[in-house]
Structures are given as structure tokens and as C-alpha cells.
Amino acid sequence: MPENLFHRPSFLMLLGVAWVMGGLPGAMQAQLPMAGDSPWLSRVWKVDDGLPNNDVTAVAQAADGAMLFATPNGLARYDGWRMQDKTSLLEDIPRSGVKGLLTARDGALWIIRRDLSRHQDGKTIIIGKQDVGSARGPNAFFEAADGTIWISYENGWVFRVEEGQLHVAAIALGYTQPQPQPPVSMVAEGQDGTIWAIGPQAVSKWAGDRFVQVATLPAGPSAIAGAREGGAWIVNRRDLLRFTEKQGLTPVTRLTSQPPGYRPFALLEDARHRVWIGSYVGGLSCWADAKLQKVPISNSDVWALKEDHEGNIWVGTGGGGVCLVHQRLLELLNEPGSPISQTARSMCLDRQGNIWMAMQTGELYTRQAGRWNHLTAPQDWPGPLATCVTADAAGNVWIASSQDRLVRWNNGQYHVEQLPPALPGKSRIRAIHASASGRLWILRIDALVTGWPGRWQQFLTPGGCGDVTSLVEAGGEALWGGTNKGRLLKLTPTGVADATPPGLAGNSLRTLLSAQDGALWMGTDGSGICRWKGGRLSVIGPDQGLRHEVVSQMVLDDRDRLWAAGDRGIFLLSMEDLNAVADGVKPTVRCLAFGTDDGIPSMQANSGYHPNTLTDADGRIWFASRSGVVIADPSIPGGNTAPPPVGIEEIAANGALAWENGHAAGQAVHIGPNIQSLRVQLSAKSFTAPDNVLLQHRLSGVDADWVSTPRNRVAVYRRLGAGNYTFEARAMNNDGVWSRQNAVMSVIIAPALWERTWIQLLAGTVAAAMLALVANAISTWRIRRQNELLRHEVGLREERARIARDMHDQVGASLTELCMLSDLAQEDRNNPTHLDRLARTARKAVADMDEIVWAVNPEHDDLASLLDYIAQQALDQTGPAGLRCRLDIPEAAPNRPLTADFRHHTLLIVREAVNNAIKHAQATEIRIQAALGGRSLTLSITDDGRGTPSQPLAAPGNGLKNMTSRTAALGGTLKISSATHGGTAIQLELPWPQRPSLT
């Protein structure tokens, strides 16, 4: 290769001298700004945040998108939400001394400790010993385009891993001898796959089997990185160079103001062509847009640089943990001479691009031609105290003063414009606006002044509406005005009208915004954002996704996005989303909140004066806050186009860990039985704005649609039954880009013993058998009940038939006889015999009736009543016949219930036996005995008559026949016996009756 000018040591020496003396003509130099002025922010993780050690020797991005950090005490993993010690992933490798990390294109993780190892799918392969005495580990560790793994150390060791074998890279002969330092100290890969290397005085190229020198460098520490447009970037001592084979070494910039001991160690060109320079003791710098910027990080020693898939830069430091570097979205006004950390009431941008600002103290500031001026009244302007400012299209700036004074500025001149007299005590101007026509609108307390100087009109505002503190054009020569009492006023050149929409809450209307579709948007103190369109009021608050219900400032950017500021900082919303929620098409709006990670730790927007925001010539939005003026760069949100990898990190069942990322990946999770709680920890590897990442999940058979995951990224389910479930998760990053693939995991919950199939079959069989038994028992009970009811009904019918028969036979016969005797007594009035028979028959009828009533009366359905009645009947029978009647009946009979049929038949049997003794036995005494057994009643009726020895038991006769039939009806036995010496004994044994059950 032909030697060019930069290869010559003499020229390089002159190059170094020239830069030291003040710079080479045409070479760009850069002064490093102070850290507070840096457009970069860094977030830091240390031991307290989960790192095993604050010395981070290597940074890599795992195949699943998580960030991995190597430390002397182990390996850490950051999933976008949690930093965890994951040294257990190394399995066969001791946890200490990890110095190098690399994720290959096939997903394998390569680790350098004292040896080199490859980890994938739970398997570890030791490639070879790698202990070269470097305490800080390799300065380059990458996979080349051809799959070769390259490793280099500062002390000159360069290794290659090809087809699983570890090789020491060869150095070509021809280098100047002796070599005080090794000719190769760091390697890098170019865009075209070329492997470049640097040493203390050389740039080399891999020629297929060895390194060959292609250029000469001045002596001193150096670092190299591949350039995306070909060739390489080189930091040599304090100079950033660009090298290509065509042009050789080209100076880019000088790294000035570096401390003693400075040495470049890590170099990286990112996807946006920014060059990052990490060093020992010199910290981190960035070359971007032809400027070298100092990047604030947690430590001045940079050991590792890594760009993630979203373009964020991760910095491993020596003692300061790991830093995530990204562009600053928000910044506090901190320019020289500006009102730093002061509260602005009002601000505006004039036609010349100058910024005017009225402060809470009444002071007035202006920035003209990039320089801030603090205007003191009355020396610099005819004050005294400024309340609000605005600018018109003619180049005028209008400044309202607290003493009801209006000041106009134009071309460096101030003019005091006379206003109509104000109402007493109500002269303060809270809002001012200049229409496109040049008409001014000035809002005093309780009054509107409109017109032009010398042609003013003043109108009173409706009583009780409060002070107008926000204005916006309503189309034509009209304005909307929002008051601090929640009223919306319509301002026209002819007057003021209350146009408050029905349903608008009484919260202060802090800011107004008019949209191109005619909708009016209102920021409120307590109701969030309201839209008034087509006569319909819609409210969007925290329940609809808004971060806070207080909105003090609203600005629309050139991408139809609403920037809003309130009591909890600045947030960004899509107008498309807002309209969809206001129209009822969507339930919630996507709200991006900005805070600590974006440059402002705490912010509360100011309100009460108009205007209080502006958009500068660079498109940046300025907000007035209690902490100072906050500037937002709308160009930064919307640039994150990388789909966020979403993952399942952990699954816990009933509080116990059931599965963890890195173990049994892709397999189903078997848990259970009896799952009372299932917790799934999710991750979304989006690091740009993790607070604004949206995670959603769903579980088959449980969730009908996607469910928003809580901010802790944990999905929780309660009381899940046995079965096969599929869990899915997806994520959307801060700029609305969804994950390319959902995270999917099969969850199999084992059935409990009672949920198993054979148990259920057995239980079903047993249940069916028991059901059959129960059904049979119920059927049998029903049949028995029906039989008992039938028997009862038959018994009732028989009882009714008996009563009818007894009434007919006994009472009816007696009544017939009474009728006949009455007729005979009337015909033969002088015959007393008829009257005697009439009286006896009547008494008999009464006795028969009494017997029938006793038999059917349920109050007498007991043993004691039966025995008493038998005794009374026997005495009534034997008394008139002149016979003695001896009764041997228990005085205290037990309370045993009896049926009416049992009592009736028993009474008639005893009465028939007594009657037979009276009529036929010629007895003088009758004895009745009753014996109570456990199962039966025994009655004995004996007399001392002549007896009936020659008469068989079954001899004809109605009395004996009736006794026998009645005894058989009761299921008893009847025995009649006569002794030869005279007398008859009748023994009656009757089983106790069973009363029918009707239940």
C-alpha cells in the first residue's frame, strides 16, 4: 500500500506539536462544556440498586434484550425494571472475577474469567485458559461478521476463537525491533468486516493469518473502534482521528482539558454516528454534530461501553456502577444572565426571535441575539413591575405593569400607552393577547379592555365569574377566556358573555387551547382536561389515563401532540388519543410523563397569568414552573422505533417460585394443585423511558381481552382451577411501538385428588348409587305413605259406615220405637204402660247417642278413657238387673293413645259379654278384670251363672258372632270357657293398635 503523508513519523511529530501549540489549520477543536450544560443525562445503578459490585468490567445485551453487567463479585441482569444478581446463570463458573461478556448472534453468552466459556440452554463449554494477567479484563471482545470471536488486551495479547478452538493471533514480522511495547494492544471490526488493530505506534490490519501494519501513530495510549462508513476511529493520546485506507489518518478534534493520567480505553460509534470516548480518569465524552461534549457520569474511569437496541449508551465504570446515557428531554433554563431557578409569570417570543419574560417578582428579562438582559425599572424600562407580556405581528412587544400601565416596545424604544380608568382596586392586568389583526385584549380584574391605543373600549365581565387568567382565539374577532372560578367567557369587540358549558365543574380554568377541528380544550384545577365540541362536554382525568387532574399549561407541537404541564410535571398526549377518548371510542388515553430520568427531578407548573408558555425558534417549548423555566425538546420523543422485547421473568404459585427466566426456557410450567394465587413477573426491555412502557397480559380461559399490567409489572390471578392455560404478554415502548413477538408460556395446573378423572368417575359412580338408593328409599316411602293414606282413608270410610250403621241400628231404632209408642200413648191416653216404655226408649236412645259420641270423640283416644267408660257401662248394665259388678281395673292407666275403632270394638265386646251374662247366665255377680301388657290389652269377664258346658264355642247366635268378628277385626283372640260347677269366663286379648302416620 502506498505510504501517505500521515504515515511519516516526521509529519506526525509536527502534527502533535501543532495541536499542542494551538491547533492544525482546518482541524476542529472543541471545548468540553460543564456537566450542568450537557445535553446528556445518565441514570446510575450501584450496589444499593442490585449490582454485586460498583466496578463494572463489561456490559452486554442478552439475547432476550436484558442488559448484563460483569463485576468482580458476579453477574447482574437488568430487565427494564429490576436489577438482579444473576451469578447463578453461570452455573459451573465461580461467581467472582468476571471480566468479559459477549452475546453472540446465535444467542450464546460468552464469558471471560480466567478462562473463556460459552453458555447456552443451560450448558457450559470451557473453551480454554484466558488468564493473561490483565486485572481489568479485555479492551475488545466481539463476534466478527464471519463468526470469529476476537479478544484483545492492553498488554498485547490478542485471541481468536474459530470453530470452537482458541488461537493466539499472529503478528507479522517487520515491526521495529526491539519492541518496548507490544505492536497490537486493541482490535476492532470495520463496517465491511475488516479487523483493525492499534499499537503504541502502529495501525494494523488482519491479513487472513496475521496482522500487518498499514499506518504509523505517535507514541502514546490509543483506542480504536470500527467506523460505520468504513475504516476506523482512533483516539491517540488526546486526539480523535479517522482512518481509512484511501485517505489514511485524518484529524477530527482535540480532546482538551484532560487531567493527568488520562488514557483512552473504550471507543464506540453508535447508530446515529456519534462517537463515544471512554477513558481512565477522563470520564466520558461524545463527538456529535461537530462538537465534543462532556457527558456527566458517576465516575471518571470508563471500563466498558455498549449501545443497546434502542440507541442508549451503557457505561461500565470503575467504582461508579453502571450508567445509562441518553439525550436530555427537559432542561432548566441555565444560560448565563438568565433568570435561573426563578418563577416566570408570563413569557412570549417576538417577531425578531427575542424572548421576553415577566417574573413572579415583577422583574423583566429579555434575551436578544442569544444574550440575556435583566431590565431594571425605571432605568431600563418604564416599569415598575411586569405582570404579563405578549407580542404582535407588527413587531411590538406589549408589557403589562402592576400599576395598570401598558408599555409597548418596538425597535429598542419603550412607549407608555394610556388605558381607560380602572375600577377602584381592580387595576391589575392578569392576561394580555394580541390578535392577528393587531387588536389588543387586556383583562383586568372584572373588566375587559380591547382595541388599539387611543381607541379603547372597556366592558365589565359578568359578576361572580372571577378573573380571566387564560385566553385563546375563538375564530374571527372573538376570544375565549377562562377564569379562576371555572367560568368560560366569550370575549368580542362588543362585550363579554358567560358561555360556560353545562356540567363544567367549578374548578379554575388554568389554560385554554383551540384545535383546528373547532374543539376547545380546557386545562383545569381538579378535573383534568375538558373538551367542548359540538355542544358536548367531555372530561379526561386520571380515570381515563391522565397522570394528574391539575393541568396549568397546554401547547400543541407540529406533530399534533399535546404537551401539558401541571402540578406533577410535564406529560405528552396524542391528540388522536384524546379525541378518541373524548368521543367514547377508547376508554383511556396514553400519557407519557417526564421527570427525573428526563432531566427535571420535580416540577410544578405556574398559572394565573397569560401567556405563560412559548415555542422558540428551534421548536423547543418553554414552560413556566415554580422551580424555574423548563425547556422541552419535542424532537426527542418519537425517535424510539425499536420494538421492546417482552419476557416472562418469574412465575410464583401460592407464594413459592415455580419458574424463573433462564431455567427450562420454552417448556410448560407445571404447578398445583389448589392454586390460590398465581403471580407472573413480566419484563419489557425498553430502557429509554421505562416509566412510560405499557405492558398488557392475558390468561386463556380467564381474561376475555388484554389486561393492562400494573406498574410493578406483576400479573396476579386468584383461585385457578386445574387445567391447561396459556399466558401471553406484550409491551409498547414510550413512542408507541409494540413488541414484535408476544411472550407466551403454557401453565399446567395439576388437579387435586378430588379433581382427578378416576376419582371423579368413582365419586360419580358412588353418587349415582347413593342417588339410586335415595330414590328407591323415597319411592318406597312414598308407596308406604300412599298405602297408609289409603288405609287411613279406608278406615275413615269404615268409621263413617260404622257410625252410620250405629246411628241407624241403635238411635234410629230407638227413635222409630219412640214414634210408635208416642202414637200408642195418644190413642190410649189412659194406659200408663205406653208412657213407661216411651221413657225407657228415650233414655236408651240418649245412651246410644252418648256411646256413639264417645267413640268418635278424639279426646277419648287413650287407654284411661276406655277403661273408665267400660267400667261405667258395666255398672249401668248390671245395676238395673240387680247383679253385683266387681271391677279389677288399674287406677292409673298409662297414657297410651288408642284408635276410635279399637275403643269402639272393645267396648261393644265387653258390653255384649256382660249383656249375655245378665240375660242367659242367671248369675248374681259379674267380674271384669283388665291386665296391661307390653304388646296387648287383656280383659277377663267372668260370672257365677249356670255356664254353658254343652254349647260349643262356635254355636250360632248374634251376640257371640258379633264378639268374634269384632275381636278378629282388632287382630285379637277371644276365649270362652265354662266350668262344670257353673260360671262362664271370657278372656279377650287385643294387641295395641298402631296409629297411622300422615307425614
Side-chain angles (χ1 to χ4, degrees), residues 726-737:
T726 299
F727 182 87
E728 290 183 273
R730 65 180 184 179
M732 182 171 65
N733 71 9
N734 60 304
D735 286 324
V737 179

Side-chain angles (χ1 to χ4, degrees), residues 465-517:
C465 287
D467 300 339
V468 175
T469 58
S470 56
L471 295 170
V472 71
E473 294 193 9
E477 285 291 323
L479 264 66
W480 295 109
T483 78
N484 56 7
K485 291 188 178 180
R487 310 301 295 179
L488 182 66
L489 305 182
K490 187 71 171 289
L491 314 178
T492 65
T494 58
V496 182
D498 188 350
T500 305
L504 185 66
N507 300 313
S508 171
L509 299 183
R510 292 193 169 190
T511 181
L512 302 176
L513 178 71
S514 181
Q516 291 183 353
D517 60 358

Side-chain angles (χ1 to χ4, degrees), residues 224-269:
I224 189 170
R228 293 181 177 269
E229 294 181 354
W233 294 97
I234 299 173
V235 175
N236 176 241
R237 299 186 300 183
R238 288 179 171 84
D239 302 322
L240 176 63
L241 309 173
R242 174 70 186 279
F243 174 80
T244 62
E245 291 189 87
K246 183 177 181 179
Q247 297 180 350
L249 287 168
T250 303
V252 177
T253 190
R254 168 68 52 82
L255 281 64
T256 59
S257 303
Q258 296 297 349
Y262 169 84
R263 186 166 88 257
F265 184 78
L267 192 61
L268 170 70
E269 182 188 3

Side-chain angles (χ1 to χ4, degrees), residues 706-790:
W706 290 100
V707 178
S708 293
T709 310
R711 284 181 55 80
N712 62 1
R713 304 190 177 189
V714 177
V716 180
Y717 294 92
R718 305 289 184 187
R719 291 181 290 277
L720 294 177
N724 296 349
Y725 298 88
T726 299
F727 182 87
E728 290 183 273
R730 65 180 184 179
M732 182 171 65
N733 71 9
N734 60 304
D735 286 324
V737 179
W738 284 100
S739 48
R740 185 174 289 112
Q741 291 183 336
N742 297 345
V744 182
M745 178 69 73
S746 295
V747 180
I748 301 175
I749 301 180
L753 181 61
W754 56 86
E755 294 176 317
R756 299 183 184 275
T757 303
W758 67 273
I759 288 291
Q760 291 178 343
L761 291 175
L762 179 61
T765 303
V766 172
M770 294 183 64
L771 183 62
L773 291 174
V774 171
N776 181 68
I778 293 175
S779 177
T780 302
W781 173 81
R782 287 179 176 176
I783 292 174
R784 289 177 179 176
R785 182 171 178 272
Q786 290 176 355
N787 291 338
E788 290 176 356
L789 290 174
L790 289 174

Side-chain angles (χ1 to χ4, degrees), residues 968-985:
L970 297 178
T973 58
L974 179 67
K975 295 182 180 179
I976 302 176
S977 59
S978 296
T980 55
H981 56 274
T984 302

Side-chain angles (χ1 to χ4, degrees), residues 349-368:
L349 183 74
D350 67 19
R351 193 180 66 175
Q352 291 78 24
N354 302 319
I355 292 176
W356 295 80
M357 201 172 291
M359 311 310 294
Q360 194 78 18
T361 58
E363 296 175 285
L364 184 65
Y365 283 81
T366 181
R367 188 182 74 169
Q368 298 178 1

Side-chain angles (χ1 to χ4, degrees), residues 616-916:
D616 66 17
D618 296 327
R620 300 184 304 168
I621 302 173
W622 297 47
F623 297 94
S625 87
R626 298 293 178 88
S627 305
V629 176
V630 178
I631 306 172
D633 187 350
S635 66
I636 296 177
N640 187 4
T641 60
V646 61
I648 300 171
E649 298 295 321
E650 296 174 356
I651 297 178
N654 295 339
L657 186 64
W659 180 87
E660 184 179 12
N661 187 16
H663 297 84
Q667 299 180 5
V669 179
H670 294 263
I671 56 177
N674 192 25
I675 300 301
Q676 298 300 312
S677 171
L678 182 70
R679 295 173 58 87
V680 184
Q681 177 72 57
L682 303 178
S683 68
K685 287 79 174 183
S686 180
F687 311 115
T688 301
D691 284 343
N692 290 320
V693 170
L694 173 65
L695 265 166
Q696 293 181 336
H697 64 271
R698 64 183 177 186
L699 185 66
S700 62
V702 178
D703 300 320
D705 201 355
W706 290 100
V707 178
S708 293
T709 310
R711 284 181 55 80
N712 62 1
R713 304 190 177 189
V714 177
V716 180
Y717 294 92
R718 305 289 184 187
R719 291 181 290 277
L720 294 177
N724 296 349
Y725 298 88
T726 299
F727 182 87
E728 290 183 273
R730 65 180 184 179
M732 182 171 65
N733 71 9
N734 60 304
D735 286 324
V737 179
W738 284 100
S739 48
R740 185 174 289 112
Q741 291 183 336
N742 297 345
V744 182
M745 178 69 73
S746 295
V747 180
I748 301 175
I749 301 180
L753 181 61
W754 56 86
E755 294 176 317
R756 299 183 184 275
T757 303
W758 67 273
I759 288 291
Q760 291 178 343
L761 291 175
L762 179 61
T765 303
V766 172
M770 294 183 64
L771 183 62
L773 291 174
V774 171
N776 181 68
I778 293 175
S779 177
T780 302
W781 173 81
R782 287 179 176 176
I783 292 174
R784 289 177 179 176
R785 182 171 178 272
Q786 290 176 355
N787 291 338
E788 290 176 356
L789 290 174
L790 289 174
R791 286 195 297 270
H792 180 67
E793 185 177 354
V794 171
L796 289 177
R797 291 180 179 179
E798 291 178 350
E799 185 68 13
R800 290 171 61 190
R802 180 189 65 76
I803 293 171
R805 185 173 61 252
D806 290 346
M807 293 288 291
H808 178 269
D809 293 345
Q810 296 176 240
V811 180
S814 298
L815 293 177
T816 302
E817 186 176 357
L818 285 174
C819 292
M820 295 176 61
L821 291 174
S822 177
D823 293 340
L824 291 174
Q826 288 180 355
E827 293 175 359
D828 190 3
R829 296 177 181 269
N830 296 324
N831 188 350
T833 304
H834 298 308
L835 293 176
D836 291 340
R837 291 183 60 189
L838 183 64
R840 288 195 302 275
T841 303
R843 285 193 293 273
K844 182 177 182 302
V846 171
D848 291 341
M849 180 62 69
D850 180 68
E851 177 185 336
I852 293 171
V853 171
W854 174 83
V856 299
N857 190 350
E859 293 182 358
H860 301 302
D861 285 349
D862 57 67
L863 179 61
S865 177
L866 173 63
L867 296 178
D868 289 345
Y869 201 77
I870 288 175
Q872 184 61 45
Q873 287 288 311
L875 293 175
D876 290 343
Q877 283 181 276
T878 58
L883 274 72
R884 292 191 302 274
C885 182
R886 299 180 63 182
L887 300 173
D888 188 2
I889 296 175
E891 294 183 358
N895 187 19
R896 178 184 290 277
L898 301 176
T899 64
D901 197 46
F902 183 90
R903 291 187 296 109
H904 179 69
H905 286 307
T906 303
L907 174 64
L908 293 183
I909 292 172
V910 174
R911 189 171 68 179
E912 186 65 30
V914 173
N915 188 53
N916 287 339

